[in-house]
Amino acid sequence: MTGNSTLKRTISSPSSRIFGHIREVIIVLGSYIAYMVVRKFIGIDLGDIAVDNASKVINFELAFGFFWEPHLQRWAAESAKNFLVFLNWSYILTFYPVIITTALFLYTKDRPKYHYYRNIVLLSFVIALVVFAVFPLAPPRFMPEYGFIDAIAKYGPSWYSSRDAAEYYNAFAAMPSLHFGWTALFGVLYFRTGKRPLQVWGLLYPTLMFFAITITGNHYMIDALAGGLLMLSSFLVYEAILKYTS
């Protein structure tokens, strides 16, 4: 009994908790630093390849009859400009801010659930980095010859499309769409709470992001499909790892 009490005090000691917090920060920031390093090396002279891959994706969507992105974007720009501006801001403000807020809440209130979803996100991130390196893809906004515009650059917020902001993300990392994939995963998280308001948000969140990524000209519809498949694959792989190691 005494040994167990001593162990519990050691695990829950202030120094142990502080180390745990620092370790978590290192894991999260380390992942982003790894992304920046990979981006620096794979983002060199890939413009022509990324544009060529974009043409292949567009031709694929045309062949299967669902190249609807430029038509949706044109409709929004001509008939629903306020809606387009709303989607521009949604693309930015409902991604990292929502994910980080949810992650912090889980970290403080439900650490096991936090670690579960964090590990799926990190696994999907690793897989996505490989795909970004193998298949760099120019987003629709880089393809004006197909009728696309850069909606964020044209209608704001303009600071997001500035050269300074572009230093922090890979412009040719369109497929798979982590914007959609991660919001779909968090949508499942919200839905599984069993609380009606969060369940509604769990359905609306990825739906909103789907239209935001496509109508703003940042992703093709097939990127969203790839993002969803990425998260499903990451979930299945992580469940298999847990089963194997348990």
Side-chain angles (χ1 to χ4, degrees):
M1 179 68 72
T2 304
N4 289 339
S5 300
T6 303
L7 179 60
K8 289 180 181 178
R9 286 197 299 270
T10 301
I11 292 175
S12 61
S13 64
S15 60
S16 178
R17 290 196 298 269
I18 292 173
F19 176 76
H21 301 331
I22 294 174
R23 181 182 60 187
E24 195 59 36
V25 171
I26 291 174
I27 290 174
V28 175
L29 289 183
S31 300
Y32 184 74
I33 291 172
Y35 163 75
M36 293 298 290
V37 171
V38 171
R39 172 188 177 276
K40 180 178 180 180
F41 287 101
I42 70 173
I44 300 174
D45 299 327
L46 289 181
D48 291 340
I49 298 175
V51 169
D52 183 60
N53 286 337
S55 296
K56 293 177 181 177
V57 166
I58 291 171
N59 288 332
F60 177 86
E61 291 192 355
L62 283 169
F64 284 88
F66 63 95
F67 183 54
W68 303 324
E69 298 92 323
H71 307 292
L72 289 172
Q73 191 182 64
R74 188 178 308 112
W75 166 81
E78 295 176 355
S79 305
K81 191 172 298 183
N82 289 336
F83 178 61
L84 179 55
V85 173
F86 169 75
L87 290 178
N88 287 349
W89 282 97
S90 297
Y91 177 80
I92 301 167
L93 297 182
T94 65
F95 188 55
Y96 281 124
V98 172
I99 288 176
I100 292 173
T101 300
T102 303
L104 289 174
F105 179 83
L106 286 180
Y107 186 77
T108 57
K109 299 296 184 179
D110 193 337
R111 197 68 56 84
K113 183 178 290 186
Y114 166 82
H115 284 134
Y116 179 82
Y117 283 95
R118 180 258 273 162
N119 290 342
I120 293 178
V121 166
L122 291 180
L123 178 59
S124 70
F125 192 45
V126 172
I127 298 173
L129 284 179
V130 175
V131 179
F132 296 158
V134 174
F135 192 75
L137 179 64
R141 56 191 170 87
F142 281 25
M143 309 295 287
E145 62 270 30
Y146 290 94
F148 289 109
I149 61 171
D150 187 339
I152 292 180
K154 186 170 183 178
Y155 298 108
S158 58
W159 54 264
Y160 188 81
S161 60
S162 67
R163 180 174 299 179
D164 291 338
E167 292 297 321
Y168 298 97
Y169 63 89
N170 182 359
F172 301 137
M175 181 188 289
S177 170
L178 292 180
H179 264 75
F180 181 77
W182 287 357
T183 53
L185 177 68
F186 275 70
V188 172
L189 186 158
Y190 299 136
F191 194 84
R192 292 177 68 181
T193 63
K195 298 178 180 179
R196 184 57 60 86
L198 287 178
Q199 287 183 321
V200 173
W201 175 238
L203 295 174
L204 290 178
Y205 188 34
T207 303
L208 172 64
M209 188 57 70
F210 174 80
F211 288 107
I213 65 175
T214 53
I215 293 181
T216 61
N218 282 285
H219 287 280
Y220 307 94
M221 290 186 178
I222 199 172
D223 297 340
L225 175 61
L229 292 175
L230 169 66
M231 300 318 300
L232 177 60
S233 301
S234 300
F235 166 77
L236 294 175
V237 169
Y238 186 58
E239 281 291 323
I241 293 173
L242 290 179
K243 184 177 181 180
Y244 179 79
T245 56
S246 62

Coordinates of all heavy atoms in Angstrom, one line a residue, residues 76-143:
A76 N -20.6 31.8 -56.5 CA -20.4 32.6 -55.3 C -19.9 34.0 -55.5 O -20.3 34.9 -54.9 CB -19.4 31.8 -54.4
A77 N -18.9 34.1 -56.5 CA -18.4 35.4 -56.7 C -19.4 36.4 -57.4 O -19.4 37.6 -57.1 CB -17.1 35.3 -57.6
E78 N -20.3 35.8 -58.2 CA -21.2 36.7 -58.9 C -22.5 36.9 -58.2 O -23.2 37.9 -58.3 CB -21.5 36.1 -60.3 CG -20.3 36.0 -61.2 CD -20.6 35.3 -62.5 OE1 -21.7 34.8 -62.7 OE2 -19.7 35.3 -63.4
S79 N -23.0 35.9 -57.4 CA -24.3 35.9 -56.8 C -24.3 35.9 -55.3 O -25.4 36.2 -54.7 CB -25.2 34.8 -57.3 OG -25.2 34.7 -58.7
A80 N -23.2 35.5 -54.7 CA -23.2 35.4 -53.2 C -21.9 35.8 -52.7 O -21.2 35.0 -52.0 CB -23.6 34.0 -52.8
K81 N -21.5 37.0 -53.0 CA -20.1 37.5 -52.6 C -19.9 37.5 -51.1 O -18.8 37.2 -50.6 CB -19.9 38.9 -53.1 CG -18.4 39.3 -53.0 CD -18.2 40.6 -53.8 CE -18.5 40.5 -55.3 NZ -18.2 41.8 -56.0
N82 N -21.0 37.9 -50.3 CA -20.8 37.8 -48.9 C -20.6 36.4 -48.3 O -19.8 36.2 -47.4 CB -22.1 38.4 -48.2 CG -22.2 39.9 -48.4 OD1 -21.2 40.6 -48.6 ND2 -23.4 40.5 -48.3
F83 N -21.3 35.5 -49.0 CA -21.1 34.1 -48.6 C -19.6 33.6 -48.9 O -19.0 32.9 -48.1 CB -22.1 33.2 -49.4 CG -21.9 31.7 -49.1 CD1 -22.1 31.2 -47.8 CD2 -21.6 30.9 -50.1 CE1 -22.0 29.9 -47.6 CE2 -21.5 29.5 -49.9 CZ -21.7 29.0 -48.6
L84 N -19.1 34.1 -50.0 CA -17.7 33.8 -50.4 C -16.8 34.3 -49.4 O -15.8 33.6 -49.0 CB -17.4 34.3 -51.8 CG -16.0 34.1 -52.3 CD1 -15.7 32.6 -52.3 CD2 -15.9 34.6 -53.8
V85 N -17.0 35.6 -49.0 CA -16.1 36.2 -48.0 C -16.2 35.4 -46.7 O -15.2 35.1 -46.0 CB -16.4 37.6 -47.7 CG1 -15.7 38.2 -46.6 CG2 -16.2 38.5 -49.0
F86 N -17.4 35.0 -46.3 CA -17.6 34.2 -45.1 C -16.8 32.9 -45.2 O -16.2 32.4 -44.2 CB -19.1 33.9 -44.9 CG -19.4 32.8 -43.9 CD1 -19.4 33.1 -42.6 CD2 -19.8 31.5 -44.3 CE1 -19.7 32.1 -41.6 CE2 -20.1 30.6 -43.4 CZ -20.0 30.9 -42.0
L87 N -16.8 32.2 -46.4 CA -16.1 31.0 -46.5 C -14.6 31.2 -46.5 O -13.8 30.4 -45.9 CB -16.4 30.3 -47.9 CG -17.8 29.7 -48.0 CD1 -18.1 29.2 -49.4 CD2 -18.1 28.7 -47.0
N88 N -14.1 32.4 -47.0 CA -12.7 32.7 -46.9 C -12.3 32.8 -45.4 O -11.3 32.2 -45.0 CB -12.5 34.1 -47.5 CG -12.5 34.1 -49.0 OD1 -12.6 33.0 -49.6 ND2 -12.6 35.3 -49.6
W89 N -13.1 33.5 -44.6 CA -12.7 33.5 -43.2 C -12.9 32.2 -42.5 O -12.1 31.8 -41.6 CB -13.6 34.6 -42.5 CG -13.1 36.0 -42.8 CD1 -13.6 36.9 -43.7 CD2 -12.1 36.7 -42.1 NE1 -12.9 38.0 -43.7 CE2 -11.9 38.0 -42.7 CE3 -11.2 36.3 -41.1 CZ2 -11.0 38.9 -42.3 CZ3 -10.3 37.3 -40.6 CH2 -10.2 38.5 -41.3
S90 N -13.9 31.4 -42.9 CA -14.1 30.1 -42.3 C -12.9 29.2 -42.6 O -12.5 28.4 -41.7 CB -15.4 29.5 -42.9 OG -16.5 30.3 -42.5
Y91 N -12.4 29.3 -43.8 CA -11.2 28.5 -44.1 C -10.1 28.7 -43.2 O -9.4 27.7 -42.8 CB -10.8 28.8 -45.6 CG -9.6 28.1 -46.0 CD1 -9.7 26.8 -46.5 CD2 -8.3 28.7 -46.0 CE1 -8.5 26.1 -47.0 CE2 -7.2 28.1 -46.5 CZ -7.3 26.8 -46.9 OH -6.2 26.1 -47.3
I92 N -10.0 29.9 -42.7 CA -8.8 30.3 -41.8 C -9.2 30.1 -40.3 O -8.5 29.4 -39.6 CB -8.4 31.7 -42.0 CG1 -8.0 31.9 -43.5 CG2 -7.3 32.1 -41.1 CD1 -7.9 33.4 -43.9
L93 N -10.4 30.6 -39.9 CA -10.7 30.7 -38.5 C -11.3 29.4 -37.9 O -11.3 29.3 -36.7 CB -11.6 31.9 -38.2 CG -11.0 33.3 -38.6 CD1 -12.0 34.4 -38.2 CD2 -9.7 33.5 -37.8
T94 N -11.8 28.6 -38.8 CA -12.4 27.3 -38.2 C -11.5 26.1 -38.3 O -11.9 25.0 -38.1 CB -13.8 27.0 -38.9 OG1 -13.5 26.7 -40.3 CG2 -14.7 28.2 -38.8
F95 N -10.2 26.4 -38.7 CA -9.3 25.2 -38.8 C -8.4 25.2 -37.5 O -8.8 24.6 -36.5 CB -8.5 25.3 -40.0 CG -7.6 24.1 -40.3 CD1 -8.2 22.8 -40.3 CD2 -6.3 24.2 -40.5 CE1 -7.5 21.7 -40.5 CE2 -5.5 23.1 -40.7 CZ -6.1 21.8 -40.7
Y96 N -7.2 25.8 -37.6 CA -6.4 25.7 -36.4 C -7.0 26.3 -35.1 O -6.8 25.7 -34.1 CB -5.0 26.4 -36.7 CG -4.1 25.6 -37.5 CD1 -3.6 26.1 -38.7 CD2 -3.7 24.3 -37.1 CE1 -2.7 25.3 -39.5 CE2 -2.8 23.6 -37.9 CZ -2.3 24.1 -39.1 OH -1.5 23.3 -39.8
P97 N -7.7 27.4 -35.1 CA -8.3 27.9 -33.9 C -9.2 26.9 -33.2 O -9.1 26.7 -32.0 CB -9.0 29.2 -34.3 CG -8.2 29.7 -35.5 CD -7.8 28.4 -36.2
V98 N -10.1 26.3 -34.0 CA -11.0 25.3 -33.5 C -10.3 24.0 -33.0 O -10.5 23.5 -31.9 CB -12.1 24.9 -34.5 CG1 -13.0 23.8 -34.0 CG2 -13.0 26.1 -34.8
I99 N -9.3 23.6 -33.8 CA -8.6 22.4 -33.5 C -7.8 22.6 -32.2 O -7.7 21.7 -31.3 CB -7.7 21.9 -34.6 CG1 -8.6 21.4 -35.8 CG2 -6.7 20.9 -34.2 CD1 -7.9 21.0 -37.0
I100 N -7.1 23.7 -32.1 CA -6.2 24.0 -31.0 C -7.0 24.1 -29.7 O -6.7 23.6 -28.6 CB -5.3 25.2 -31.2 CG1 -4.3 24.9 -32.3 CG2 -4.6 25.6 -29.9 CD1 -3.5 26.1 -32.8
T101 N -8.2 24.8 -29.8 CA -9.0 25.0 -28.7 C -9.6 23.7 -28.2 O -9.6 23.4 -27.0 CB -10.2 26.0 -29.0 OG1 -9.7 27.2 -29.4 CG2 -11.1 26.2 -27.8
T102 N -10.0 22.8 -29.1 CA -10.5 21.5 -28.7 C -9.4 20.7 -28.1 O -9.7 20.0 -27.1 CB -11.1 20.8 -30.0 OG1 -12.1 21.6 -30.5 CG2 -11.7 19.5 -29.6
A103 N -8.2 20.7 -28.7 CA -7.1 19.9 -28.2 C -6.8 20.4 -26.7 O -6.5 19.5 -25.9 CB -5.9 20.1 -29.1
L104 N -6.7 21.7 -26.5 CA -6.4 22.2 -25.2 C -7.5 21.7 -24.2 O -7.2 21.4 -23.0 CB -6.3 23.7 -25.2 CG -5.1 24.2 -25.9 CD1 -5.1 25.8 -25.9 CD2 -3.8 23.8 -25.1
F105 N -8.8 21.8 -24.6 CA -9.8 21.3 -23.7 C -9.7 19.9 -23.4 O -9.8 19.5 -22.2 CB -11.2 21.6 -24.4 CG -12.4 21.2 -23.5 CD1 -12.9 22.0 -22.5 CD2 -12.9 19.9 -23.7 CE1 -13.9 21.6 -21.8 CE2 -14.0 19.5 -23.0 CZ -14.5 20.3 -22.0
L106 N -9.4 19.0 -24.4 CA -9.3 17.6 -24.1 C -8.0 17.3 -23.3 O -8.0 16.5 -22.4 CB -9.2 16.8 -25.4 CG -10.4 16.6 -26.3 CD1 -10.1 15.9 -27.5 CD2 -11.5 15.9 -25.5
Y107 N -7.0 18.1 -23.5 CA -5.7 17.9 -22.7 C -5.9 18.1 -21.3 O -5.4 17.4 -20.4 CB -4.7 18.8 -23.3 CG -3.3 18.6 -22.7 CD1 -2.5 17.5 -23.1 CD2 -2.8 19.4 -21.7 CE1 -1.3 17.3 -22.5 CE2 -1.6 19.2 -21.1 CZ -0.8 18.1 -21.5 OH 0.4 17.9 -21.0
T108 N -6.8 19.1 -20.9 CA -7.0 19.4 -19.5 C -8.1 18.6 -18.9 O -8.1 18.3 -17.7 CB -7.4 20.9 -19.4 OG1 -8.5 21.2 -20.2 CG2 -6.2 21.8 -19.8
K109 N -9.1 18.1 -19.7 CA -10.3 17.5 -19.2 C -10.3 15.9 -19.4 O -10.9 15.2 -18.6 CB -11.6 18.1 -19.8 CG -11.8 19.5 -19.5 CD -12.0 19.8 -18.1 CE -12.3 21.3 -17.8 NZ -12.5 21.6 -16.4
D110 N -9.7 15.5 -20.5 CA -9.7 14.1 -20.8 C -8.5 13.7 -21.5 O -8.4 13.5 -22.7 CB -11.0 13.8 -21.7 CG -11.3 12.3 -21.8 OD1 -10.4 11.5 -21.6 OD2 -12.4 12.0 -22.1
R111 N -7.4 13.5 -20.7 CA -6.1 13.2 -21.3 C -6.0 11.9 -22.2 O -5.4 12.0 -23.3 CB -5.0 13.1 -20.2 CG -3.6 13.3 -20.6 CD -3.3 14.7 -21.1 NE -3.6 15.7 -20.2 CZ -2.8 16.1 -19.2 NH1 -1.6 15.5 -19.0 NH2 -3.2 17.1 -18.4
P112 N -6.6 10.8 -21.8 CA -6.6 9.6 -22.7 C -7.2 9.9 -24.0 O -6.7 9.5 -25.1 CB -7.4 8.6 -21.9 CG -7.2 9.0 -20.5 CD -7.3 10.5 -20.5
K113 N -8.4 10.6 -24.1 CA -9.0 10.9 -25.3 C -8.1 11.8 -26.2 O -8.0 11.7 -27.4 CB -10.4 11.5 -25.1 CG -11.1 11.8 -26.4 CD -12.5 12.3 -26.2 CE -13.4 11.3 -25.6 NZ -14.8 11.8 -25.5
Y114 N -7.5 12.8 -25.5 CA -6.6 13.7 -26.2 C -5.5 12.9 -26.8 O -5.2 13.2 -28.0 CB -6.0 14.7 -25.2 CG -4.8 15.5 -25.7 CD1 -5.0 16.6 -26.6 CD2 -3.5 15.0 -25.5 CE1 -3.9 17.2 -27.1 CE2 -2.4 15.7 -26.0 CZ -2.6 16.8 -26.8 OH -1.5 17.4 -27.4
H115 N -4.8 12.0 -26.1 CA -3.7 11.2 -26.7 C -4.2 10.4 -27.8 O -3.5 10.2 -28.8 CB -3.1 10.4 -25.6 CG -2.2 11.1 -24.6 ND1 -2.3 11.0 -23.3 CD2 -1.3 12.1 -24.9 CE1 -1.4 11.8 -22.7 NE2 -0.8 12.5 -23.6
Y116 N -5.4 9.8 -27.7 CA -5.9 9.0 -28.8 C -6.1 9.8 -30.1 O -5.5 9.4 -31.2 CB -7.3 8.4 -28.4 CG -7.9 7.6 -29.4 CD1 -7.6 6.2 -29.5 CD2 -8.9 8.1 -30.2 CE1 -8.2 5.4 -30.5 CE2 -9.5 7.3 -31.2 CZ -9.2 5.9 -31.3 OH -9.8 5.1 -32.3
Y117 N -6.7 10.9 -30.0 CA -6.9 11.7 -31.3 C -5.7 12.4 -31.7 O -5.4 12.6 -32.9 CB -8.1 12.7 -31.0 CG -9.4 12.1 -31.1 CD1 -10.1 11.7 -29.9 CD2 -10.1 11.9 -32.3 CE1 -11.3 11.1 -30.0 CE2 -11.3 11.3 -32.4 CZ -11.9 10.9 -31.2 OH -13.2 10.3 -31.3
R118 N -4.8 12.8 -30.8 CA -3.5 13.4 -31.1 C -2.7 12.4 -31.9 O -2.1 12.8 -32.9 CB -2.8 13.8 -29.9 CG -1.4 14.5 -30.2 CD -0.3 13.5 -29.9 NE 0.1 13.5 -28.5 CZ 0.8 12.6 -27.9 NH1 1.1 11.5 -28.6 NH2 1.1 12.7 -26.6
N119 N -2.7 11.2 -31.5 CA -1.8 10.2 -32.2 C -2.4 9.9 -33.6 O -1.6 9.7 -34.6 CB -1.8 8.9 -31.4 CG -1.0 9.0 -30.2 OD1 -0.2 10.0 -30.0 ND2 -1.2 8.1 -29.2
I120 N -3.7 9.9 -33.8 CA -4.3 9.7 -35.1 C -3.9 10.9 -36.0 O -3.6 10.7 -37.2 CB -5.8 9.5 -35.0 CG1 -6.2 8.2 -34.3 CG2 -6.4 9.5 -36.4 CD1 -7.6 8.0 -34.1
V121 N -4.0 12.1 -35.5 CA -3.6 13.3 -36.3 C -2.2 13.2 -36.7 O -1.8 13.5 -37.8 CB -3.9 14.5 -35.4 CG1 -3.2 15.8 -36.1 CG2 -5.4 14.8 -35.3
L122 N -1.3 12.9 -35.7 CA 0.1 12.8 -36.1 C 0.4 11.7 -37.1 O 1.3 11.9 -38.0 CB 1.0 12.6 -34.8 CG 1.0 13.7 -33.8 CD1 1.9 13.3 -32.6 CD2 1.6 15.0 -34.4
L123 N -0.2 10.6 -37.0 CA -0.1 9.5 -37.9 C -0.5 10.0 -39.3 O 0.2 9.7 -40.3 CB -0.8 8.3 -37.5 CG -0.8 7.1 -38.5 CD1 0.7 6.6 -38.7 CD2 -1.6 5.9 -37.9
S124 N -1.6 10.6 -39.4 CA -2.1 11.1 -40.7 C -1.2 12.2 -41.3 O -1.0 12.3 -42.5 CB -3.5 11.7 -40.5 OG -3.5 12.9 -39.8
F125 N -0.6 12.9 -40.4 CA 0.4 14.0 -40.8 C 1.6 13.4 -41.4 O 2.1 13.8 -42.5 CB 0.8 14.8 -39.6 CG 1.5 16.1 -39.9 CD1 1.1 16.9 -40.9 CD2 2.6 16.5 -39.2 CE1 1.8 18.1 -41.2 CE2 3.3 17.6 -39.4 CZ 2.9 18.4 -40.4
V126 N 2.1 12.3 -40.9 CA 3.3 11.6 -41.4 C 2.9 11.1 -42.8 O 3.7 11.2 -43.8 CB 3.7 10.5 -40.5 CG1 4.8 9.6 -41.2 CG2 4.3 11.1 -39.2
I127 N 1.8 10.4 -42.9 CA 1.4 9.8 -44.2 C 1.2 11.0 -45.2 O 1.6 10.8 -46.4 CB 0.1 9.0 -44.1 CG1 0.3 7.9 -43.1 CG2 -0.4 8.5 -45.4 CD1 -1.0 7.1 -42.8
A128 N 0.6 12.1 -44.8 CA 0.3 13.2 -45.7 C 1.6 13.8 -46.2 O 1.8 14.1 -47.4 CB -0.5 14.2 -45.0
L129 N 2.7 13.9 -45.4 CA 3.9 14.4 -45.8 C 4.6 13.6 -46.9 O 5.2 14.1 -47.8 CB 4.9 14.5 -44.6 CG 4.7 15.6 -43.6 CD1 5.7 15.5 -42.5 CD2 4.8 17.0 -44.3
V130 N 4.4 12.3 -46.8 CA 4.9 11.4 -47.9 C 4.2 11.7 -49.2 O 4.8 11.8 -50.2 CB 4.8 9.9 -47.4 CG1 5.2 9.0 -48.6 CG2 5.6 9.6 -46.2
V131 N 2.9 11.8 -49.1 CA 2.1 12.1 -50.3 C 2.4 13.4 -50.9 O 2.6 13.6 -52.1 CB 0.6 12.0 -50.0 CG1 -0.2 12.3 -51.3 CG2 0.2 10.6 -49.5
F132 N 2.6 14.4 -50.0 CA 3.0 15.8 -50.5 C 4.3 15.7 -51.3 O 4.5 16.4 -52.3 CB 3.1 16.7 -49.3 CG 1.9 17.0 -48.6 CD1 1.9 17.5 -47.3 CD2 0.6 16.8 -49.2 CE1 0.8 17.7 -46.6 CE2 -0.5 17.0 -48.5 CZ -0.5 17.5 -47.2
A133 N 5.2 14.9 -50.8 CA 6.5 14.8 -51.5 C 6.4 14.0 -52.8 O 7.1 14.4 -53.8 CB 7.5 14.1 -50.5
V134 N 5.6 13.0 -52.8 CA 5.5 12.1 -54.0 C 4.6 12.8 -55.0 O 4.9 12.6 -56.2 CB 5.0 10.7 -53.6 CG1 4.7 9.9 -54.8 CG2 6.0 10.0 -52.7
F135 N 3.6 13.4 -54.6 CA 2.6 14.0 -55.5 C 2.3 15.5 -55.2 O 1.2 15.8 -54.7 CB 1.3 13.2 -55.5 CG 0.3 13.4 -56.6 CD1 0.5 13.0 -57.9 CD2 -0.8 14.2 -56.3 CE1 -0.4 13.3 -58.9 CE2 -1.8 14.5 -57.3 CZ -1.5 14.0 -58.6
P136 N 3.2 16.4 -55.4 CA 2.9 17.8 -55.2 C 1.8 18.2 -56.1 O 1.8 17.9 -57.3 CB 4.3 18.5 -55.5 CG 5.0 17.5 -56.4 CD 4.6 16.1 -56.0
L137 N 0.9 19.0 -55.6 CA -0.3 19.4 -56.4 C -0.6 20.9 -56.2 O -0.8 21.3 -55.1 CB -1.5 18.5 -55.9 CG -2.8 18.8 -56.6 CD1 -2.8 18.5 -58.1 CD2 -3.9 18.0 -55.9
A138 N -0.6 21.6 -57.3 CA -1.0 23.0 -57.3 C -2.5 23.1 -57.0 O -3.3 22.4 -57.6 CB -0.7 23.6 -58.6
P139 N -2.9 24.0 -56.1 CA -4.3 24.1 -55.8 C -5.0 24.8 -56.9 O -4.4 25.4 -57.8 CB -4.3 25.0 -54.5 CG -3.0 25.8 -54.6 CD -2.0 24.8 -55.3
P140 N -6.4 24.8 -56.9 CA -7.1 25.4 -58.0 C -6.8 26.9 -58.3 O -6.8 27.3 -59.4 CB -8.6 25.2 -57.6 CG -8.6 24.0 -56.7 CD -7.2 24.1 -56.0
R141 N -6.5 27.6 -57.2 CA -6.2 29.0 -57.4 C -4.9 29.3 -58.2 O -4.7 30.4 -58.7 CB -6.1 29.7 -56.0 CG -5.0 29.1 -55.1 CD -5.1 29.7 -53.7 NE -4.3 28.9 -52.7 CZ -3.0 29.2 -52.5 NH1 -2.4 30.2 -53.1 NH2 -2.3 28.5 -51.6
F142 N -4.2 28.3 -58.4 CA -3.0 28.4 -59.3 C -3.3 28.0 -60.7 O -2.4 28.0 -61.6 CB -1.9 27.4 -58.8 CG -1.1 27.9 -57.6 CD1 -1.7 28.8 -56.7 CD2 0.2 27.5 -57.4 CE1 -1.0 29.3 -55.6 CE2 0.9 28.0 -56.3 CZ 0.3 28.9 -55.4
M143 N -4.6 27.7 -61.0 CA -5.0 27.3 -62.4 C -6.0 28.2 -63.0 O -7.2 27.8 -63.2 CB -5.5 25.9 -62.3 CG -4.6 24.9 -61.5 SD -3.0 24.6 -62.4 CE -3.6 23.6 -63.8

